[in-house]
Amino acid sequence: MAGGKIRAKLRQSQLYTFCQKPKASETEASRPIQGAGFSRTVYCNQPLLHQKKPYKYRSNFISTTKYNPITFLPKALFEQFRRVANVYFLLAAILSLTPVSPFSPVSMIAPLVFVVGLSMAKEALEDWNRFLQDMKVNLRKVIVHKGDGVFGFRPWHKIQVGDILKVEKDQFFPADLLLLSSSYEDGICYVETMNLDGETNLKVKRCLEVTSPLEDDGTFKDFTATIQCEDPNPNLYSFVGNLEYDRQVYPLEPGQILLRDSKLRNTAYVYGVVIFTGHDSKVMQNSTKSPSKRSGIERKMDNIIYILFTLLVGISLISSIGFAVKTKFSMPDSWYMRPDQTTDMYSPEKPALSGLIHLVTALILYGYLIPISLYVSIEVVKVLQATFINQDIHMYDEETGNPAQARTSNLNEELGQVDTILSDKTGTLTCNQMDFLKCSIGGTAYGVRSSEVELAAAKQMAFDLEDNEDDLSNFPMRKHNPRVSWGNGVGSEIELETVVTSKDDKDRKPAIKGFSFEDSRLMNGNWLNEPSPDVISLFLRILAVCHTAIPELNEGTGSYTYEAESPDEAAFLVAARELGFEFCKRNQSSVFVNEKFPYSGQPVDREYKVLNLLEFTSKRKRMSVIVRDEDGQIFLFCKGADSIIFDRLSKNGRMYEEATTKHLNEYGEAGLRTLALSYRRLEEAEYSAWSNEFQKAKTSIGADRDGMLERVADKMERDLILVGATAVEDKLQKGVPQCIDNLAQAGLKIWVLTGDKMETAINIGFACSLLRQGMKQICISTANFDTLGQDSKETLCLLTNDQAVKDNILNQITNASQMIKLEKDPHAAFALIIDGKTLTYALEDDMKHLFLGLAVDCASVICCRVSPKQKALVTRLVKQGTGKTTLAIGDGANDVGMIQEADIGVGISGVEGMQVGIFSDYSFL
């Protein structure tokens, strides 16, 4: 790469995400960024300018410790004296210094110092371990430009804003960098962002074309540039700025920014300039201190201390009153006490004062009613329990070699007090490893294998029917149905048309990761004999072209594997490969697909020039790619949520809408994740006009830039023609149904908070035993608002639409609560299902307690289409509303809020990484 490599002349690309090459603009790009939040100036390769204000920024030294040498003593003491008992012992120790104390001060002060010192020592040890981890990071080495084109190693914590870094393959980025060039000729690099968003899939970054020729160390000898950009902020997926280089100004985008703690993959090296360092970097801006959690036993002990202290004061008051009376009336008669030479401590003339002084003495004397040794015992037990958790062989993952880890020892006893478990679904209950299972092409459904949800439902139906038949065994006649065998020869007489399995298990090929599809009509090129082979080939072509994945040749098998941004996308590419359309190469401007079953009969490699790529976001719920094929025709291929795609279909593009909708509903009921596929043919003039508008929006600078891009992209994603739909399965984690069943039998309430749609969430609920046959479902949704009568609608028109929806939801909750109260069957079980839009209203102050009351009366609760913030709000509502111990469990960055809100937070490590581990109280790897 560096040193003598020949770099081809690059073609201007207009890719929005994958290959971005913004041009300098004399109008938009040359305008300086102004306004609050856009004041940072970076002088590239001129670090000396960043040693003086106002351009002196924070160092790259990071610290995640709770204390430092200055704050340790006050902060640690504050934490210790949050305990009521320690406050009491402190007051007793102070009183022991007075002349009225019946004990030596040492006997009161020494136990307090021991207990507080032991707890502070434990805090110091845990914080010291965090400090050692920080220093291990701060002392990592990175290659830095030292001047005159010479690069050398320097520790991370000495990196400054403006430094030029050379990061090599499989190294982490030590700060937020602007990508200047890479070992690839087209200036791209591949980045793994697992530590940022939990995704192990690679992201593609691309430098500006103007800096791409900076190909080796020597080219940076005289390199200088200036960056004007936004101030430090926690937004991982946005960046606004511009680069002034060689008297031209170039707009910068998130696709050129390399974030700290992400890793360089599949790229020999990259050069970058430091923009944000240390705690100014985006990942550190996103780090929050975990809330200080106190266990229920600790809070209960505080209450007990209040009771004991009240009892102690009562006993001491009785004693002091008796002493005062005795001093006043009996003291003068006790000549041996020398009443003529008394002090205030026992003066017959001042009995009230003597009684008050005796009160202090009594408080100290009877102080052992509150045992300080109890706290010592509890601290020791907690540490031992945490050790047992870390060494529990039953919570050891043999595949990764990682044990469970108790990140705090303060909450061990809470694990046995859990009343409600709030769990994420994807990656926690399910594996987050997608398998392509079924599809609908041109209105025809393909795929004969059954999902786990279908099999679980069929087994439950078989068992229920078998029980019913046993109850009716005395009747002389029974209806005969075909027998379906489950398990070890256990038969049940039911008819299940939707459950189809392979005819011959011996004919099955070895399992292919991401591909569980089985249908002879499409396999081995048989789709050429189908009634609509053109539609099928277009469907497979969309799967093979519409993506941002990176192919890697497996030399062992000779086939390609894929690094994709999502497991769904990887499953689509594997399916396209197995069905004859193998994505095999990508460069800066083209995608290459090997079509194994063309009409000519011989495999052929086809090139599709990628003109634009419109990325997938949670807001857009779709992604599109505009390509030019070998015949010069321009196509837009689009895949996305069915509700989004169907709204954008043209009049002549709805030929398969009815049949596809039916299939999508069936796939949803089978617990599958679905996407709709569509396309559009573009004329040259139409595309040219749109491309100019898109390029103008792309080179604009300002806060509304993303909005402009979205509006321009939306203009193109119209008048689509529906091709079909995909259905992939996210399989359950091993043992999940049995685990949930055992927890339910133990009396624990289980809530599942997921972003999936309601149909999928319900069927996953059946598969994992969260929902059971015979359980009465209560579905609360804003969709029910459409079922109101006409008269009701006319009445509600007098109100605002928002208020009308809110009133309807309130009626649904009230009616459901009333239905549960009127239920006469004591063994009846209810399940509550609510969507995120409805939850927005249900969590408002005037309705949340009604919603919680309904949910608590239900055996299972499923909240679908919820946002990360709603997960945290629901957890807070359950914790505060019930006053009982809650446990939250998740594996993704969107679960952090939920984990921090719960009394106990558990982080699960799955294929998406361990990004929640640092926020959880316990992590299970």
Side-chain angles (χ1 to χ4, degrees):
M1 312 288 190
K5 71 175 179 180
I6 300 176
R7 302 175 67 89
K9 185 177 180 181
L10 303 181
R11 171 186 175 275
Q12 175 66 33
S13 175
Q14 297 175 322
L15 287 186
Y16 175 25
T17 300
F18 179 72
C19 298
Q20 298 179 351
K21 292 186 178 180
K23 298 179 180 179
S25 171
E26 296 296 334
T27 56
E28 297 290 341
S30 61
R31 296 177 184 173
I33 302 177
Q34 299 177 350
F38 300 94
S39 61
R40 195 175 187 90
T41 302
V42 178
Y43 295 100
C44 304
N45 210 18
Q46 303 172 77
L48 294 178
L49 296 179
H50 293 289
Q51 296 181 357
K52 298 179 181 179
K53 293 185 177 181
Y55 304 116
K56 184 178 181 180
Y57 304 117
R58 302 179 73 169
S59 72
N60 203 43
F61 183 90
I62 62 104
S63 175
T64 61
T65 58
K66 190 176 181 180
Y67 312 103
N68 60 44
I70 298 175
T71 63
F72 173 73
L73 192 60
K75 281 188 174 182
L77 286 174
F78 172 77
E79 288 293 329
Q80 294 306 312
F81 287 103
R82 291 176 64 187
R83 297 174 173 176
V84 177
N86 285 347
V87 175
Y88 164 74
F89 293 129
L90 176 63
L91 294 175
I94 294 173
L95 291 176
S96 69
L97 298 172
T98 64
V100 300
S101 173
F103 303 121
S104 167
V106 176
S107 64
M108 297 298 295
I109 296 174
L112 176 65
V113 171
F114 176 76
V115 171
V116 173
L118 184 65
S119 299
M120 291 177 64
K122 188 187 77 169
E123 288 281 327
L125 180 61
E126 292 177 353
D127 213 49
W128 176 255
N129 291 331
R130 287 190 285 266
F131 172 75
L132 293 179
Q133 292 177 353
D134 290 342
M135 291 307 299
K136 185 177 180 181
V137 173
N138 288 324
L139 294 177
R140 287 177 179 171
K141 302 286 185 171
V142 67
I143 303 174
V144 184
H145 183 225
K146 296 185 175 180
D148 296 327
V150 177
F151 282 72
F153 288 97
R154 186 182 297 172
W156 278 24
H157 69 92
K158 292 186 177 180
I159 293 173
Q160 298 179 351
V161 172
D163 281 341
I164 303 297
L165 306 184
K166 182 179 182 180
V167 181
E168 297 181 330
K169 183 180 179 181
D170 293 330
Q171 290 183 347
F172 289 98
F173 299 114
D176 290 351
L177 312 178
L178 170 66
L179 177 62
L180 297 176
S181 63
S182 80
S183 58
Y184 286 102
E185 294 183 352
D186 48 11
I188 64 172
C189 69
Y190 305 123
V191 176
E192 181 186 272
T193 60
M194 185 179 67
N195 289 339
L196 303 180
D197 53 20
E199 296 184 0
T200 56
N201 310 297
L202 301 187
K203 307 294 190 300
V204 183
K205 302 289 184 178
R206 195 198 194 292
C207 69
L208 294 170
E209 182 180 8
V210 68
T211 61
S212 183
L214 300 170
E215 58 190 37
D216 54 34
D217 295 357
T219 57
F220 288 94
K221 179 178 181 180
D222 300 317
F223 170 75
T224 58
T226 303
I227 297 174
Q228 293 281 345
C229 66
E230 63 186 19
D231 294 335
N233 62 71
N235 299 322
L236 291 175
Y237 307 108
S238 67
F239 182 83
V240 178
N242 57 33
L243 173 72
E244 184 178 348
Y245 175 60
D246 199 18
R247 298 183 181 181
Q248 293 286 337
V249 178
Y250 303 88
L252 301 178
E253 299 174 342
Q256 289 123 24
I257 304 301
L258 308 173
L259 299 181
R260 179 188 174 109
D261 280 351
S262 53
K263 180 188 285 188
L264 184 66
R265 293 281 304 275
N266 295 358
T267 309
Y269 62 85
V270 297
Y271 291 99
V273 58
V274 178
I275 299 178
F276 298 121
T277 52
H279 288 272
D280 283 346
S281 62
K282 289 185 180 290
V283 65
M284 295 305 296
Q285 289 277 314
N286 274 275
S287 63
T288 58
K289 294 183 178 179
S290 299
S292 181
K293 297 179 179 180
R294 302 182 69 203
S295 68
I297 284 186
E298 193 170 310
R299 292 191 295 267
K300 179 71 73 175
M301 287 176 61
D302 285 348
N303 295 331
I304 294 174
I305 295 299
Y306 286 128
I307 297 173
L308 292 177
F309 183 74
T310 302
L311 181 61
L312 174 63
V313 171
I315 295 174
S316 300
L317 279 173
I318 295 173
S319 177
S320 61
I321 292 172
F323 181 82
V325 172
K326 189 75 172 177
T327 301
K328 181 177 180 179
F329 296 105
S330 300
M331 185 73 172
D333 298 332
S334 304
W335 57 269
Y336 52 85
M337 298 291 292
R338 295 300 301 271
D340 57 324
Q341 296 182 4
T342 59
T343 64
D344 291 341
M345 296 177 64
Y346 51 94
S347 173
E349 297 177 357
K350 301 177 181 178
L353 180 59
S354 298
L356 183 62
I357 294 174
H358 181 79
L359 175 64
V360 176
T361 303
L363 286 173
I364 299 174
L365 187 63
Y366 306 145
Y368 289 105
L369 185 65
I370 303 176
I372 194 171
S373 61
L374 176 62
Y375 280 92
V376 179
S377 302
I378 289 179
E379 287 293 332
V380 173
V381 168
K382 285 183 176 181
V383 172
L384 292 176
Q385 285 177 338
T387 303
F388 292 151
I389 291 175
N390 296 340
Q391 297 179 353
D392 192 338
I393 193 171
H394 296 293
M395 292 190 290
Y396 176 81
D397 185 11
E398 296 180 356
E399 184 176 346
T400 61
N402 293 321
Q405 184 175 358
R407 297 178 181 272
T408 177
S409 61
N410 295 329
L411 302 174
N412 297 336
E413 63 272 21
E414 294 288 272
L415 292 171
Q417 307 297 321
V418 174
D419 177 78
T420 305
I421 298 177
L422 301 102
S423 174
D424 176 45
K425 184 188 76 67
T426 304
T428 303
L429 299 181
T430 60
C431 299
N432 202 22
Q433 295 177 351
M434 308 303 172
D435 282 349
F436 188 92
L437 191 66
K438 299 182 180 183
C439 62
S440 172
I441 308 176
T444 303
Y446 296 96
V448 297
R449 282 194 180 181
S450 301
S451 67
E452 287 185 347
V453 171
E454 290 176 299
L455 294 176
K459 289 181 181 179
Q460 186 64 47
M461 290 171 61
F463 295 145
D464 290 344
L465 186 56
E466 185 176 354
D467 292 339
N468 292 335
E469 289 178 344
D470 290 339
D471 295 338
L472 299 175
S473 59
N474 293 328
F475 285 83
M477 296 180 63
R478 289 192 293 172
K479 182 178 178 180
H480 177 72
N481 289 325
R483 180 175 295 273
V484 181
S485 179
W486 302 101
N488 298 324
V490 178
S492 298
E493 296 178 352
I494 57 174
E495 186 174 3
L496 299 171
E497 296 180 356
T498 59
V499 179
V500 183
T501 57
S502 177
K503 295 180 180 179
D504 190 353
D505 291 341
K506 296 181 181 180
D507 295 336
R508 290 186 181 180
K509 296 180 179 180
I512 300 173
K513 183 179 179 181
F515 188 72
S516 296
F517 181 84
E518 184 176 331
D519 196 322
S520 59
R521 293 174 294 175
L522 294 187
M523 300 296 292
N524 302 319
N526 293 336
W527 57 267
L528 291 169
N529 301 322
E530 286 293 292
S532 303
D534 293 340
V535 178
I536 297 176
S537 64
L538 181 58
F539 178 90
L540 298 176
R541 191 171 290 119
I542 294 174
L543 291 182
V545 174
C546 186
H547 55 80
T548 59
I550 304 156
E552 290 185 352
L553 180 62
N554 187 325
E555 296 181 357
T557 62
S559 62
Y560 287 91
T561 58
Y562 305 104
E563 293 284 356
E565 290 192 17
S566 69
D568 304 67
E569 193 167 86
F572 295 151
L573 288 171
V574 171
R577 181 193 70 195
E578 295 300 315
L579 296 176
F581 285 68
E582 184 175 44
F583 165 54
C584 55
K585 182 181 177 183
R586 177 193 290 278
N587 62 24
Q588 63 166 1
S589 60
S590 299
V591 168
F592 297 85
V593 178
N594 178 264
E595 297 184 5
K596 298 180 180 179
F597 306 107
Y599 294 108
S600 61
Q602 296 296 326
V604 59
D605 289 329
R606 298 192 186 278
E607 177 184 2
Y608 298 90
K609 294 186 177 180
V610 182
L611 305 178
N612 298 89
L613 191 146
L614 311 180
E615 66 178 2
F616 181 94
T617 66
S618 58
K619 183 178 180 181
R620 283 167 41 81
K621 296 182 180 179
R622 64 189 183 278
M623 76 161 293
S624 301
V625 59
I626 302 176
V627 299
R628 188 191 302 272
D629 65 12
E630 295 175 339
D631 297 329
Q633 297 183 1
I634 302 175
F635 291 91
L636 178 142
F637 295 149
C638 182
K639 64 182 180 185
D642 53 275
S643 58
I644 301 296
I645 299 298
F646 287 175
D647 288 342
R648 286 167 169 74
L649 296 178
S650 63
K651 291 183 179 180
N652 61 347
R654 300 179 179 271
M655 183 184 307
Y656 310 120
E657 182 179 11
E658 183 177 353
T660 305
T661 301
K662 177 183 176 183
H663 296 152
L664 286 170
N665 292 335
E666 293 174 354
Y667 298 155
E669 292 174 359
L672 305 178
R673 295 160 62 100
T674 59
L675 282 179
L677 273 59
S678 60
Y679 80 102
R680 177 185 176 190
R681 191 189 302 269
L682 304 176
E683 299 296 332
E684 190 71 40
E686 179 188 10
Y687 171 73
S688 297
W690 176 87
S691 180
N692 292 333
E693 186 178 358
F694 185 72
Q695 183 68 19
K696 182 179 178 180
K698 197 166 62 170
T699 55
S700 65
I701 299 177
D704 190 46
R705 177 179 176 277
D706 290 340
M708 293 176 60
L709 282 170
E710 186 173 336
R711 287 191 293 271
V712 176
D714 186 68
K715 292 181 180 179
M716 178 58 71
E717 295 169 321
R718 296 283 178 178
D719 298 326
L720 303 175
I721 298 175
L722 182 64
V723 178
T726 61
V728 297
E729 181 181 26
D730 189 4
K731 293 185 178 294
L732 292 174
Q733 297 273 12
K734 184 179 180 180
V736 163
Q738 296 83 352
C739 177
I740 290 182
D741 190 54
N742 291 336
L743 291 173
Q745 291 181 25
L748 276 70
K749 296 181 175 64
I750 303 172
W751 295 39
V752 170
L753 313 179
T754 177
D756 281 341
K757 58 186 179 181
M758 184 174 290
E759 295 82 1
T760 303
I762 290 174
N763 288 284
I764 290 293
F766 277 109
C768 66
S769 297
L770 187 66
L771 302 178
R772 298 177 294 278
Q773 297 294 333
M775 182 179 283
K776 299 180 180 180
Q777 297 180 19
I778 301 174
C779 295
I780 299 180
S781 171
T782 53
N784 296 337
F785 180 68
D786 298 331
T787 63
L788 291 175
Q790 187 64 33
D791 295 338
S792 300
K793 290 186 177 181
E794 292 176 358
T795 303
L796 291 172
C797 285
L798 300 175
L799 305 171
T800 62
N801 184 57
D802 190 62
Q803 184 62 40
V805 175
K806 186 175 179 179
D807 289 344
N808 175 252
I809 294 171
L810 181 60
N811 289 334
Q812 293 183 58
I813 294 176
T814 304
N815 294 337
S817 299
Q818 191 68 20
M819 180 182 69
I820 294 177
K821 291 179 181 179
L822 296 176
E823 177 61 46
K824 297 180 180 179
D825 184 1
H827 302 291
F830 293 87
L832 174 64
I833 299 102
I834 186 170
D835 61 27
K837 186 176 180 181
T838 308
L839 203 57
T840 303
Y841 297 95
L843 291 176
E844 293 182 2
D845 292 338
D846 57 344
M847 201 185 301
K848 62 182 182 181
H849 294 295
L850 290 173
F851 163 68
L852 179 62
L854 171 62
V856 168
D857 289 336
C858 295
S860 302
V861 180
I862 298 178
C863 302
C864 35
R865 292 299 194 196
V866 293
S867 65
K869 183 178 180 181
Q870 285 178 323
K871 288 185 177 183
L873 292 176
V874 169
T875 305
R876 182 187 303 173
L877 175 63
V878 176
K879 180 178 69 173
Q880 296 178 352
T882 63
K884 298 180 180 179
T885 304
T886 57
L887 181 146
I889 178 171
D891 75 317
N894 60 334
D895 302 320
V896 169
M898 175 177 70
I899 284 174
Q900 290 185 331
E901 279 290 346
D903 294 300
I904 307 170
V906 176
I908 293 290
S909 176
V911 296
E912 293 290 314
M914 190 58 201
Q915 66 277 16
V916 296
I918 59 175
F919 301 102
S920 59
D921 305 305
Y922 300 88
S923 60
F924 297 96
L925 309 178

